[in-house]
Amino acid sequence: MYDVAEVRKDFPILGREVYGKPLVYLDNAATVQKPRQVVEAMSEEYYNVNANVHRGVHFLSQQATELHEAARETVRRFLNARSTAEIVFTRGTTESINLVAACFGEAFMREGDEVIVSEMEHHANIVSWQLLQARKGIRLRVIPVDDRGQLRMDEYERLFNERTRIVSVTHVSNVLGTVNPVRRIVDVAHAHGVPVLIDGAQSTPHFAVDVQSLGCDFFAFSGHKVYGPTGIGVLYGKEEWLDRLPPYMGGGEMIGHVSFEHTTFADLPLKFEAGTPDYVASTGLARALDYVSGLGMDAIQAHERDLTRYALDRLREIPGMRILGEADDHDAVVSFLVGNIHHLDMGTLLDRLGIAVRTGHHCAEPLMRRFGVEGTVRASFALYNTRAEIDALADGIVRVSRMF
Ligand code: PMP
């Protein structure tokens, strides 16, 4: 039995009030709240272990290094990667995608070569490729989205040609909640000999991910969206790909030997980790992944899917409601607009009722354009949300609607 009341006790912030109202936090797709266990593991490291990693012979440095490398093993297990050589620590999804665009682009793309992205991508997975477009003259090809918010898989297959070099798509839309058929996307790409990068920012918090069964070549996610700290994320890459990419940044830790004539680089994964890593955040991330694994990703998914279905049912009852994203496979994100009420007005007034939602374009302007809107209100759910909070949201929306 999933005991959400018990789970909530691990998140002190959920007990606070805003404007004298109990906080209803439904902005989880932007970032989630942190369990005590994560914060305590990080404090403990700062208080008792802190020392720079990888370089020191002294006791603390070795202990900090062990914690950092144990965290890498925890990430490996979480993703079911083959080896820790395939786990690169970055600052987050954004940096992971930029790393692939820059390094893969450098090694394997020339003017006129193409990357396939989709119309539902976060700006991180659009602009990174546009920077490469400006540098090298590559082209972006875009998988369209249908009216229900699903990728047009027939169109996807038609985008391939002899210039296609890589596919880069999101696992779950941060706006529509659509879960994309990643395994099929990978199979089609591989049939054309093309590797695939998956943006896992919105999947890793919600259900079990197995990079080997997905078959993807690269996978990116952010620590702060999966109950870990800010400032750390992960790039998974198949060893045979990471080995063939040039380094991303130069500096300490990523080298073998340095001279002014010739420098060699460290083995994987350190080749991609220039400078002092956030070794305390890696501990926090590992603790967060242990936390969700302890609850069970399947149990978390069942709980959140129940909340999502309940939210969709409750919201659909509201007059003037327009929900964006009606995919069959719908994860814990619901975007909507009500009548002519501006998303910003709705968000601001819900906030006064203690309900935190996100408003705006959600870093997905092309998708907004696709649906002919400027922005939406977005409620997104986490493992600690409750049906009572969905009721508060639905009642709040009705109250705000009556004011207009
Ligand atoms: N991709 C998706 C699908 C996202 O939802 C987000 C965060 N909103 C990102 C990428 C970027 O993540 P970060 O800001 O943590 O790098």
Side-chain angles (χ1 to χ4, degrees), residues 154-171:
D154 49 336
E155 295 286 339
Y156 168 58
E157 300 200 18
R158 277 200 278 276
L159 291 176
F160 285 87
N161 61 47
E162 69 288 350
R163 303 308 300 267
T164 312
R165 294 287 172 266
I166 188 165
V167 173
S168 189
V169 293
T170 194
H171 201 169

Side-chain angles (χ1 to χ4, degrees), residues 17-25 346-356 389 391-401 403:
E17 297 191 334
V18 292
Y19 310 111
K21 308 263 179 4
L23 170 69
V24 175
Y25 186 77
M346 178 62 81
T348 307
L349 291 166
L350 286 175
D351 178 52
R352 290 285 158 167
L353 301 172
I355 303 165
E389 289 180 310
D391 289 334
L393 171 69
D395 296 346
I397 296 169
V398 170
R399 239 179 103 178
V400 172
S401 305
M403 292 167 66

Side-chain angles (χ1 to χ4, degrees), residues 29-30 91-95 97 122 124-125 170 172-174 199 201-202 222 224-225 362-363 378:
R91 285 192 303 119
T93 307
T94 301
E95 187 173 274
I97 296 172
H122 186 281
N125 200 22
T170 194
V172 175
S173 163
N174 66 315
D199 172 351
Q202 298 294 345
S222 295
H224 69 97
K225 293 190 200 274
H362 316 296
C363 297
R378 180 184 75 184

Side-chain angles (χ1 to χ4, degrees), residues 131-372:
L131 294 178
L132 191 61
Q133 183 173 39
R135 243 185 3 257
K136 288 195 117 178
I138 67 145
R139 294 181 62 204
L140 277 74
R141 304 296 301 272
V142 183
I143 314 167
V145 166
D146 70 16
D147 291 342
R148 300 180 66 209
Q150 304 178 122
L151 293 183
R152 293 277 308 273
M153 291 299 284
D154 49 336
E155 295 286 339
Y156 168 58
E157 300 200 18
R158 277 200 278 276
L159 291 176
F160 285 87
N161 61 47
E162 69 288 350
R163 303 308 300 267
T164 312
R165 294 287 172 266
I166 188 165
V167 173
S168 189
V169 293
T170 194
H171 201 169
V172 175
S173 163
N174 66 315
V175 177
L176 307 168
T178 310
V179 183
N180 288 321
V182 167
R183 181 71 236 190
R184 254 180 78 206
I185 290 170
V186 168
D187 285 345
V188 171
H190 285 180
H192 288 88
V194 170
V196 179
L197 163 63
I198 299 299
D199 172 351
Q202 298 294 345
S203 59
T204 39
H206 302 297
F207 52 85
V209 167
D210 179 331
V211 289
Q212 291 190 64
S213 79
L214 291 177
C216 57
D217 304 276
F218 302 99
F219 186 94
F221 75 94
S222 295
H224 69 97
K225 293 190 200 274
V226 62
Y227 307 94
T230 47
I232 191 158
V234 170
L235 172 67
Y236 157 82
K238 280 185 184 158
E239 211 167 334
E240 60 261 37
W241 277 116
L242 289 182
D243 257 338
R244 294 157 71 198
L245 300 189
Y248 184 45
M249 290 194 286
E253 309 244 12
M254 54 74 74
I255 50 91
H257 292 284
V258 176
S259 73
F260 284 109
E261 292 72 37
H262 183 65
T263 289
T264 58
F265 303 124
D267 290 335
L268 292 177
L270 297 186
K271 180 172 93 176
F272 294 106
E273 295 182 1
T276 299
D278 197 338
Y279 53 83
V280 176
S282 61
T283 297
L285 173 60
R287 194 64 200 84
L289 299 182
D290 285 342
Y291 181 84
V292 291
S293 301
L295 292 176
M297 290 310 297
D298 292 346
I300 291 169
Q301 182 178 23
H303 173 71
E304 293 177 346
R305 286 292 173 114
D306 174 70
L307 287 178
T308 307
R309 270 190 303 272
Y310 185 66
L312 287 169
D313 288 347
R314 289 278 345 242
L315 264 52
R316 281 195 191 105
E317 292 166 2
I318 298 170
M321 175 61 65
R322 175 183 176 198
I323 291 169
L324 286 89
E326 303 268 5
D328 295 329
D329 200 354
H330 193 143
D331 215 75
V333 178
V334 178
S335 269
F336 62 90
L337 288 165
V338 184
N340 295 323
I341 305 171
H342 196 272
H343 52 87
L344 200 54
D345 293 332
M346 178 62 81
T348 307
L349 291 166
L350 286 175
D351 178 52
R352 290 285 158 167
L353 301 172
I355 303 165
V357 291
R358 184 140 299 238
T359 61
H361 56 59
H362 316 296
C363 297
E365 286 190 37
L367 187 65
M368 296 295 112
R369 222 160 286 131
R370 159 69 182 83
F371 282 94

